[in-house]
Amino acid sequence: AYDHFASSRVLFVVAFRNESAEPVASNIPFLNVSAGAAACASYGLKSKFGIAIIGADGNLDYTTEQEIHANRVREILQNSYTVQEAARNR
């Protein structure tokens, strides 16, 4: 699934509410937001862990405070407003 994300130019970003949090142990490349607590608050993420998926159009497509499988992320991206709009214009 992550190869698909890379070829689709998906960008993964991590924001820590606690600025002293340990780095994410992952084989997925992440960009780290410098003002993590503010970024989390702006998307309504209040717990220790949360995911916000922002589409290519800049719209917030999904938020959760649970871990989700990569295939669910791909499904959300494939059904984003941008993808649906492009399909209607064909």
Side-chain angles (χ1 to χ4, degrees):
Y2 296 111
D3 290 337
H4 170 78
F5 295 145
S7 66
S8 299
R9 298 175 22 175
V10 173
L11 179 63
F12 291 94
V13 178
V14 63
F16 293 103
R17 291 183 61 75
N18 177 355
E19 300 297 333
S20 63
E22 293 294 319
V24 174
S26 175
N27 61 350
I28 305 164
F30 285 91
L31 293 177
N32 192 2
V33 174
S34 60
C40 290
S42 67
Y43 291 104
L45 301 171
K46 298 175 181 155
S47 71
K48 184 177 177 182
F49 176 85
I51 296 172
I53 299 176
I54 304 163
D57 55 6
N59 287 324
L60 181 62
D61 290 335
Y62 184 84
T63 61
T64 184
E65 293 184 345
Q66 305 294 319
E67 290 185 30
I68 57 176
H69 193 274
N71 288 330
R72 177 67 178 129
V73 174
R74 182 171 46 184
E75 179 182 78
I76 293 163
L77 293 171
Q78 288 173 337
N79 292 300
S80 72
Y81 175 81
T82 302
V83 172
Q84 292 177 34
E85 183 68 19
R88 283 192 289 270
N89 289 332
R90 289 184 186 168

